[in-house]
């Protein structure tokens, strides 16, 4: 794990050097603010937390995460550097974790940059900042789990368009899972619905979003991250051999 | 316990930098490397010669751990590349065939990144990057993006990256491809100075260019090791060993040359009229006799060379042998 900071730093620099990162973070922030204000009557609701904003995040991540994922292995896009990297004394796990953490930090920065909304909420009335913090954390965890899926797809293919579309498709399926389950309610056995519901990231997210930051919901996201990152490592190791 | 003991012994007395034993590699149903055994000592410069598709790059990739062997073992400084990949890779520098390229990073950026991964920081990192850049004369282009450089410079960056951490074993894949003659001379001096610090293995199709650098030659053809001898021994196998090539403005008396003692035959160069190569019988030195003949006949000679032996020819011959 000694080389982790090196990979992390390199990946963060690579994000900072790419205009796409700024563009997608800006789009995320603008959409987050405008959609939150216009689509839900947040100002009329007077709830003291930012649920109206955070419930949009799973959808907005559909835009941000695939863009960040296409950047993840862009260093290795040129075959020569990919091969050189494979001859260096670093493990695949270090590379995967380093890159993932850098992307997660970019997501974190995007989340932190939504702070004007928090300030406005505090200005307009008494806001429950503890709930807002837990909502931010939940959103960060959701972003992490989505990113790990993106990371996994990057291991499967090197084509940027394919990475973008596959990540988008997979995350979209995750986002609409609850509506699919609703429609299946009378057709499928109850245990299938129950187990799928337990796997649905959106329902987990909305639980935390409501202000209940429980251990098992957080662990759900963390275990998803670990599962997909381990799968990425296994696939990359298999590909290299 | 015995393992530790034998390992300590190996470190104390074993001078072998690289040891390959019965290495085999299949790609699909095709055998790319067949039962290859090979070793390299400290401070040796080994030329790995062979024709296109002989398996040179595959062998280097196997040593570097880019490709997993189907059978056999590779030890670098006593570390098996399969069981101790990290330790083996630490001792290794590898210049890949196509040079190094990246779409955004500058030369300095790449070298700094590589130095980071090799575990250097602060003043040592700076001095190592500077030294590697200076040795390969990259100081001028340090801030240029790699993608804008020519292929030759990209290859130089790849070599700089490989020697940054002063590895014990340096692998170079076609480093002289497309080099101009004056650059070739500089490259030779570089390799000479590198050989004092590390073991160098150079894979190349152009063996004649490397004949003055390498101390040992390994010829590989069809994935088999055809020869592994000191370079002069390989040159001795050439038909042109101790042959004399001379060019003159006036027509030469070929018959007079042919009847000299020890002359095995005469070859005329079809592409350069007036140039003649006189072949020597094994064990004979025909150079003095030809010199004397030139002096007595008063030929107007424009060039006169004693050939050390044509390596390309020997490698080609050995490659033909394996395909039969």
């Amino acid at each position: 794990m000694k080389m982790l900071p090196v990979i992390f730093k390199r990946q963060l620099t690579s994000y900072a050097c790419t205009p796409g990162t700024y563009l997608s973070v800006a789009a995320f922030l603008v959409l987050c603010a405008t959609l939150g204000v216009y689509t839900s009557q947040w100002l009329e609701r007077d709830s003291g937390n930012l649920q109206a904003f955070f419930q949009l995040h799973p959808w907005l991540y559909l835009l941000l995460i695939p863009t960040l994922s296409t950047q993840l292995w862009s260093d290795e896009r040129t075959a020569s550097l990919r091969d050189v990297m494979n001859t260096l004394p670093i493990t695949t796990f270090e590379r995967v974790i380093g890159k993932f953490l850098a992307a997660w930090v970019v997501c974190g920065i995007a989340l932190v940059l939504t702070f004007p909304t928090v300030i406005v909420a505090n200005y307009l009335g008494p806001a429950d900042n503890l709930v807002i913090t837990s909502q931010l954390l939940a959103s960060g965890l959701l972003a992490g789990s989505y990113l790990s899926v993106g990371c996994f797809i990057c291991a499967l293919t090197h084509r940027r368009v394919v990475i973008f579309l596959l990540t988008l498709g997979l995350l979209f399926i995750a986002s609409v899972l609850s509506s699919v389950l609703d429609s299946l309610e009378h057709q499928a056995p109850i245990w299938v619905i129950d187990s799928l519901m337990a796997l649905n990231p959106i329902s987990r997210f909305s639980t935390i979003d409501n202000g209940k930051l429980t251990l098992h919901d957080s662990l759900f996201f963390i275990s998803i991250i670990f599962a997909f990152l381990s799968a990425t490592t296994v696939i990359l190791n298999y590909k290299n051999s | 316990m015995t393992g530790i003991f034998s390992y300590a012994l190996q470190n104390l007395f074993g001078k072998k930098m690289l040891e390959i034993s019965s290495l085999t590699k299949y790609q699909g149903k095709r055998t790319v490397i067949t039962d290859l055994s090979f070793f390299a000592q400290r401070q040796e410069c080994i030329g790995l010669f062979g024709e296109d598709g002989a398996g040179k790059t595959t062998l280097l990739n196997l040593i570097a751990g880019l490709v997993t062997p189907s059978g056999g073992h590779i030890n670098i400084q006593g570390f098996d590349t399969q069981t101790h990949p990290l330790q083996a890779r630490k001792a290794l520098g590898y210049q890949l065939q196509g040079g190094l390229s990246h779409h955004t990073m500058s030369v300095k950026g790449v070298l700094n990144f590589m130095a980071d991964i090799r575990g250097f920081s602060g003043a040592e990192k700076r001095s190592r990057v500077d030294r590697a850049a200076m040795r390969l004369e990259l100081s001028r282009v340090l801030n240029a993006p790699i993608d804008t450089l020519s292929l030759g410079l990209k290859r130089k960056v790849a070599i700089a990256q490989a020697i940054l951490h002063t590895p014990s074993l340096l692998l170079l894949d076609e480093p002289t491809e497309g080099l101009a003659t004056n650059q070739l001379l500089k490259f030779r001096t570089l390799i000479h100075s590198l050989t004092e610090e590390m073991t160098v293995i150079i894979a190349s199709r152009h063996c004649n260019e490397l004949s003055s650098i390498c101390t040992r030659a390994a010829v590989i053809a069809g994935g088999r090791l055809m020869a592994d001898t000191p370079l002069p021994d390989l040159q001795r196998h050439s038909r042109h060993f101790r042959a004399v090539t001379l060019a003159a403005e006036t027509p030469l008396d070929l018959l007079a040359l042919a009847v000299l003692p020890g002359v095995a035959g005469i070859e005329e160069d079809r592409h350069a009229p007036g140039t003649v190569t006189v072949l020597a019988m094994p064990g004979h030195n025909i150079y003095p006799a030809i010199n004397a003949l030139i002096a007595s006949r008063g030929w107007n000679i424009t060039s006169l060379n004693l050939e050390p032996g044509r390596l390309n020819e020997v490698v080609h011959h050995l490659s033909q042998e394996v395909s039969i």
Side-chain angles (χ1 to χ4, degrees):
Chain A
M1 284 295 148
K2 254 168 68 186
M3 288 302 127
L4 197 64
V6 179
I7 303 290
F8 175 75
K9 209 176 94 186
R10 167 69 210 131
Q11 189 61 30
L12 215 54
T13 326
S14 157
Y15 273 126
C17 292
T18 320
T21 316
Y22 298 100
L23 198 69
S24 54
V25 169
F28 173 77
L29 290 176
V30 169
L31 286 176
C32 198
T34 48
L35 287 180
V37 172
Y38 285 109
T39 59
S40 68
Q41 282 72 41
W42 172 60
L43 293 169
E44 284 102 75
R45 239 194 248 177
D46 193 28
S47 58
N49 64 40
L50 294 173
Q51 207 186 350
F53 287 93
F54 283 103
Q55 68 190 12
L56 284 171
H57 279 195
W59 299 100
L60 294 179
Y61 282 145
L62 288 187
L63 188 85
L64 181 68
I65 304 293
T67 332
L68 292 183
S69 323
T70 50
Q71 277 293 311
L72 268 177
W73 293 85
S74 64
D75 265 0
E76 277 78 356
R77 207 176 53 188
T78 38
S80 61
L81 195 70
R82 187 168 64 229
D83 286 347
V84 170
M85 291 290 283
N86 286 337
T87 65
L88 295 175
I90 34 172
T91 58
T92 319
F93 194 61
E94 280 171 339
R95 279 163 70 186
V96 172
I97 299 282
K99 281 169 185 290
F100 167 77
L101 284 181
W104 205 6
V105 162
V106 175
C107 283
I109 292 171
L111 267 180
V112 168
L113 286 178
T114 57
F115 72 93
T117 334
V118 182
I119 294 173
V120 169
N122 275 294
Y123 178 73
L124 290 177
D128 194 345
N129 282 324
L130 218 60
V131 173
I132 293 178
T133 317
S134 83
Q135 285 170 336
L136 267 175
L137 271 178
S139 185
L141 281 174
L142 182 74
S145 58
Y146 276 16
L147 262 179
S148 65
V149 174
C151 211
F152 173 71
I153 287 164
C154 285
L156 296 176
T157 176
H158 281 295
R159 290 169 182 273
R160 302 184 118 206
V161 182
V162 179
I163 293 173
F164 188 87
L165 290 178
L166 272 182
T167 319
L168 189 70
L170 214 65
L171 298 186
F172 187 74
I173 290 170
S175 301
V176 298
L177 196 60
S178 55
S179 9
V180 173
L181 288 179
D182 281 348
S183 64
L184 276 180
E185 206 161 358
H186 299 291
Q187 277 84 32
I190 198 78
W191 62 270
V192 174
I193 302 214
D194 274 353
S195 46
L196 279 175
M197 196 59 104
L199 280 176
N200 184 6
I202 305 294
S203 62
R204 300 272 178 177
F205 178 65
S206 46
T207 326
I208 311 183
D209 206 15
N210 288 334
K212 283 176 274 177
L213 184 67
T214 57
L215 186 66
H216 80 270
D217 282 332
S218 320
L219 273 182
F220 167 77
F221 287 116
I222 293 170
S223 53
I224 279 199
I225 293 175
F226 263 96
F228 273 105
L229 291 186
S230 316
T232 313
T233 317
V234 169
I235 287 190
L236 284 177
N237 274 336
Y238 173 73
K239 268 191 167 180
N240 288 345
S241 65
Chain B
M1 189 65 199
T2 7
I4 297 169
F5 185 64
S6 68
Y7 175 69
L9 267 183
Q10 221 175 7
N11 262 356
L12 268 177
F13 303 110
K15 275 167 67 186
K16 282 177 189 164
M17 185 56 67
L18 170 74
E19 201 173 358
I20 299 174
S21 52
S22 49
L23 183 71
T24 309
K25 175 72 189 168
Y26 304 107
Q27 264 170 10
K29 282 183 180 168
R30 210 163 63 94
T31 318
V32 200
I33 300 283
T34 316
D35 194 29
L36 192 142
S37 296
F38 180 75
F39 71 91
Q41 316 269 18
R42 269 173 214 285
Q43 299 184 347
E44 256 189 316
C45 181
I46 301 169
L48 188 63
F49 302 136
E51 300 199 315
D52 284 334
K56 303 183 295 287
T57 305
T58 314
L59 182 59
L60 291 192
N61 284 346
L62 280 163
I63 298 172
L66 271 181
V67 182
T68 338
S70 311
H73 295 280
I74 305 169
N75 284 326
I76 299 171
Q77 276 194 316
F79 294 110
D80 192 301
T81 49
Q82 290 301 300
T83 54
H84 299 86
L86 290 189
Q87 286 94 329
R89 284 173 186 186
K90 270 183 190 157
L92 186 93
Y94 185 15
Q95 173 246 319
L96 285 136
Q97 197 168 15
L100 194 62
S101 182
H102 190 270
H103 52 289
T104 51
M105 275 200 267
S106 68
V107 175
K108 198 170 189 175
V110 165
L111 292 182
N112 276 333
F113 176 52
M114 294 295 166
D116 279 337
I117 289 188
R118 296 291 183 185
F120 301 115
S121 59
E124 197 188 1
K125 179 174 127 185
R126 270 198 300 279
S127 74
R128 282 198 176 254
V129 168
D130 285 345
R131 182 152 187 261
M134 204 182 66
R135 280 181 120 170
L136 284 139
E137 298 176 333
L138 288 170
S139 312
R140 240 173 355 100
V141 291
L142 265 186
N143 293 316
I146 295 200
D147 255 9
T148 60
L149 300 182
S150 67
L151 196 63
L153 281 170
K154 278 181 187 163
R155 200 176 290 121
K156 277 185 172 183
V157 178
I159 300 178
Q161 164 276 127
I163 63 168
L164 201 66
H165 55 295
T166 336
S168 327
L169 179 65
L170 177 67
L171 308 177
L172 303 173
D173 197 353
E174 298 284 359
T176 57
E177 187 85 32
L179 280 188
T181 324
N182 62 333
Q183 284 175 320
L184 206 59
L185 284 174
K186 281 180 188 165
F187 179 76
R188 277 181 197 155
T189 7
L190 173 74
I191 297 297
H192 274 304
S193 75
L194 285 176
T195 312
E196 284 166 18
E197 298 165 40
M198 55 191 88
T199 307
V200 186
I201 298 182
I202 309 176
S204 182
R205 283 176 296 152
H206 310 286
C207 354
N208 287 346
E209 289 172 0
L210 298 172
S211 57
S212 64
I213 310 175
C214 299
T215 49
R216 222 174 95 200
V219 179
I220 177 168
R224 290 168 202 275
L225 191 67
M226 298 304 288
D228 177 12
T229 53
L231 204 81
D233 284 2
L234 200 61
Q235 283 172 326
R236 208 161 290 155
H237 282 104
S238 164
R239 216 157 51 91
H240 289 88
F241 177 62
R242 288 197 173 161
V244 176
T245 299
L246 62 161
E249 281 168 357
T250 49
L252 297 167
D253 183 0
L254 298 184
L255 193 63
L257 283 169
V259 296
L260 286 175
V263 170
I266 292 181
E267 283 177 356
E268 272 185 292
D269 194 336
R270 254 179 286 159
H271 305 291
T275 306
V276 172
T277 303
V278 188
L279 305 180
M281 281 183 197
H284 284 81
N285 191 4
I286 54 170
Y287 191 72
I290 289 180
N291 249 340
L293 184 70
I294 292 167
S296 65
R297 294 288 179 95
W299 282 335
N300 192 6
I301 297 290
T302 50
S303 89
L304 179 68
N305 284 325
L306 178 63
E307 291 202 23
R310 291 180 189 173
L311 280 178
N312 279 345
E313 193 185 277
V314 181
V315 170
H316 181 72
H317 188 70
L318 286 169
S319 306
Q320 295 295 317
E321 246 173 54
V322 80
S323 56
I324 291 169

